[in-house]
Amino acid sequence: MTTYGTTGTSTDEGIRSGEIQDEHVHETAELIAAEKVRGTSVYNAAGDDLGTIHDLMIDKRAGRVAYAVMSFGGFLGIGEKYHPLPWNVLTYDESKGGYNIDLTADQLRSAPSYSREEMLRFGGRADDDRVDTYYGGLGYPPLV
């Protein structure tokens, strides 16, 4: 059997052997591979490049992206902060090839953020509540 999807074309034989043919990773009008989202720029309403998507946090039970973790600030990785942005605050802009967020740089600086080490422990109810409370105060719906 041959399958088609965002990871390219593969056969049952290739899947059984663990071979992944990712040279054909592509996107459709509605879907994009997670690895293509990493490194994508995030812009504010003024068109300023605020940072890039560092990673995606996927809700295991709901089967959806909960957060896009954006790296922001710092120089050569020093002082860099990671902002878990609820996926619903981002909109994709084809003309920019990146995501828009309706936040100013000051609002982003005030948003929940974490160091690289803190991100390794991110994900409890308290973290979710902190992010939901902040973005909910800006008018975004909660994740749940």
Side-chain angles (χ1 to χ4, degrees):
M1 176 178 90
T2 301
T3 57
Y4 298 91
T6 59
T7 57
T9 304
S10 60
T11 62
D12 282 344
E13 199 171 290
I15 292 170
R16 281 192 296 273
S17 70
E19 175 186 328
I20 298 174
Q21 299 174 359
D22 61 0
E23 67 272 7
H24 300 293
V25 172
H26 68 281
E27 59 190 85
T28 68
E30 300 298 322
L31 299 172
I32 188 166
E35 73 179 32
K36 289 189 77 177
V37 175
R38 286 187 207 106
T40 301
S41 291
V42 177
Y43 302 93
N44 65 11
D48 301 320
D49 189 337
L50 299 175
T52 59
I53 303 294
H54 174 73
D55 212 343
L56 299 175
M57 303 288 285
I58 299 170
D59 183 318
K60 291 181 193 180
R61 288 182 172 71
R64 63 176 171 76
V65 175
Y67 303 107
V69 179
M70 184 184 78
S71 58
F72 176 74
F75 180 70
L76 299 175
I78 299 169
E80 191 167 43
K81 289 298 222 174
Y82 297 90
H83 293 260
L85 303 171
W87 189 248
N88 62 353
V89 306
L90 297 167
T91 56
Y92 188 71
D93 185 326
E94 284 188 41
S95 67
K96 293 177 184 170
Y99 292 91
N100 289 324
I101 186 167
D102 194 21
L103 291 178
T104 66
D106 286 338
Q107 286 174 314
L108 192 56
R109 280 187 203 91
S110 298
S113 64
Y114 303 85
S115 68
R116 179 178 292 274
E117 293 76 28
E118 290 169 325
M119 277 308 299
L120 295 174
R121 296 181 301 278
F122 179 85
R125 186 73 246 165
D127 291 324
D128 289 344
D129 287 346
R130 184 174 174 221
V131 173
D132 280 350
T133 298
Y134 183 78
Y135 289 98
L138 297 176
Y140 291 101
L143 287 173
V144 197

XYZ file of all heavy atoms in Angstrom, residues 66-67 83-86 111-114 122 125-137 143:
203
model
N -1.903 23.152 21.131
C -2.334 24.029 22.215
C -1.550 25.338 22.171
O -2.130 26.420 22.241
C -2.146 23.350 23.566
N -0.229 25.230 22.042
C 0.629 26.404 22.065
C 1.668 26.332 20.957
O 2.164 25.265 20.627
C 1.418 26.498 23.379
C 0.592 26.514 24.623
C 0.533 25.413 25.447
C -0.119 27.653 24.983
C -0.222 25.424 26.610
C -0.877 27.674 26.143
C -0.922 26.557 26.944
O -1.676 26.583 28.082
N 7.912 32.126 24.820
C 6.531 32.512 25.090
C 5.587 31.461 24.527
O 5.527 31.285 23.309
C 6.216 33.854 24.432
C 6.962 34.997 25.012
N 6.394 35.850 25.922
C 8.232 35.412 24.834
C 7.291 36.756 26.273
N 8.406 36.512 25.631
N 4.858 30.759 25.396
C 3.821 29.850 24.884
C 2.616 30.680 24.442
O 1.943 31.291 25.259
C 3.500 28.956 26.084
C 3.929 29.739 27.275
C 4.995 30.690 26.842
N 2.419 30.742 23.145
C 1.303 31.496 22.586
C 0.166 30.535 22.292
O 0.365 29.571 21.545
C 1.715 32.173 21.277
C 2.911 33.118 21.333
C 3.322 33.529 19.929
C 2.582 34.328 22.185
N -1.016 30.756 22.847
C -2.135 29.888 22.476
C -2.283 29.904 20.955
O -2.206 30.955 20.319
C -3.341 30.542 23.162
C -2.742 31.306 24.309
C -1.417 31.797 23.801
N 3.762 39.234 28.796
C 3.121 37.918 28.703
C 3.945 36.872 29.452
O 5.149 37.053 29.662
C 2.975 37.517 27.245
N 3.297 35.780 29.845
C 4.060 34.701 30.487
C 5.206 34.245 29.582
O 5.023 34.031 28.377
C 3.022 33.584 30.646
C 1.706 34.284 30.651
C 1.877 35.456 29.728
N 6.388 34.162 30.167
C 7.553 33.709 29.415
C 8.437 32.880 30.323
O 8.348 32.972 31.549
C 8.326 34.895 28.838
O 8.854 35.692 29.882
N 9.273 32.092 29.701
C 10.073 31.118 30.440
C 11.470 31.042 29.842
O 11.657 31.256 28.647
C 9.405 29.732 30.365
C 7.992 29.736 30.877
C 6.926 30.086 30.051
C 7.711 29.424 32.200
C 5.616 30.122 30.529
C 6.409 29.450 32.679
C 5.365 29.800 31.837
O 4.095 29.834 32.320
N 7.556 23.066 31.708
C 6.280 23.705 31.397
C 5.214 22.651 31.120
O 5.493 21.606 30.554
C 6.425 24.604 30.160
C 5.144 25.275 29.752
C 4.766 26.464 30.337
C 4.311 24.701 28.813
C 3.584 27.095 29.977
C 3.132 25.313 28.441
C 2.764 26.505 29.021
N -1.124 22.402 35.143
C -2.352 23.203 35.189
C -2.050 24.658 35.533
O -2.661 25.570 34.989
C -3.316 22.586 36.224
C -4.677 23.233 36.266
C -5.517 22.863 35.052
N -5.756 24.064 34.251
C -6.202 24.093 33.014
N -6.439 22.984 32.379
N -6.399 25.209 32.377
N -1.089 24.896 36.430
C -0.748 26.267 36.820
C -0.203 27.048 35.625
O -0.523 28.227 35.442
C 0.257 26.268 37.966
N 0.620 26.396 34.797
C 1.150 27.057 33.597
C 0.030 27.373 32.620
O -0.045 28.477 32.068
C 2.201 26.175 32.900
C 3.477 26.039 33.704
O 3.885 27.020 34.357
O 4.061 24.947 33.681
N -0.865 26.405 32.393
C -2.001 26.624 31.494
C -2.868 27.785 31.992
O -3.282 28.647 31.208
C -2.866 25.368 31.381
C -2.203 24.260 30.595
O -1.210 24.530 29.876
O -2.670 23.115 30.704
N -3.137 27.801 33.289
C -3.965 28.859 33.866
C -3.307 30.226 33.702
O -3.982 31.213 33.394
C -4.243 28.598 35.345
C -5.226 27.463 35.569
O -5.896 27.041 34.599
O -5.304 26.980 36.720
N -2.008 30.287 33.918
C -1.274 31.557 33.794
C -1.378 32.104 32.369
O -1.654 33.278 32.160
C 0.185 31.335 34.187
C 1.007 32.577 34.187
C 2.411 32.304 34.726
N 3.211 33.507 34.586
C 4.466 33.510 34.209
N 5.099 32.384 33.973
N 5.110 34.652 34.091
N -1.177 31.236 31.380
C -1.247 31.648 29.973
C -2.681 32.015 29.605
O -2.930 33.061 28.995
C -0.684 30.542 29.052
C -0.913 30.881 27.591
C 0.802 30.335 29.323
N -3.651 31.165 29.995
C -5.059 31.448 29.690
C -5.525 32.750 30.322
O -6.267 33.521 29.710
C -5.963 30.308 30.174
C -5.983 29.126 29.229
O -5.457 29.244 28.095
O -6.527 28.084 29.616
N -5.104 33.011 31.564
C -5.499 34.240 32.255
C -4.956 35.460 31.529
O -5.679 36.439 31.307
C -5.019 34.221 33.722
O -5.649 33.126 34.388
C -5.345 35.520 34.435
N -3.704 35.407 31.125
C -3.108 36.560 30.436
C -3.812 36.826 29.104
O -4.282 37.937 28.852
C -1.611 36.369 30.205
C -1.007 37.595 29.551
C -0.727 38.730 30.318
C -0.800 37.653 28.188
C -0.225 39.879 29.732
C -0.299 38.798 27.588
C -0.006 39.909 28.360
O 0.473 41.057 27.775
N -3.890 35.819 28.254
C -4.474 36.027 26.933
C -5.993 36.205 27.017
O -6.566 36.918 26.198
C -4.077 34.909 25.977
C -2.614 35.026 25.612
C -1.653 34.266 26.261
C -2.193 35.942 24.658
C -0.313 34.408 25.962
C -0.851 36.095 24.359
C 0.088 35.328 25.011
O 1.414 35.486 24.718
N -6.632 35.605 28.011
C -8.059 35.827 28.234
C -8.345 37.271 28.594
O -9.346 37.851 28.176
N -7.451 37.884 29.342
C -7.573 39.296 29.692
C -7.440 40.204 28.484
O -7.864 41.360 28.511
N -8.318 27.984 26.150
C -7.994 26.822 25.341
C -9.027 25.719 25.479
O -9.232 24.940 24.571
C -6.633 26.261 25.730
C -5.450 27.106 25.288
C -4.176 26.542 25.876
C -5.359 27.148 23.785
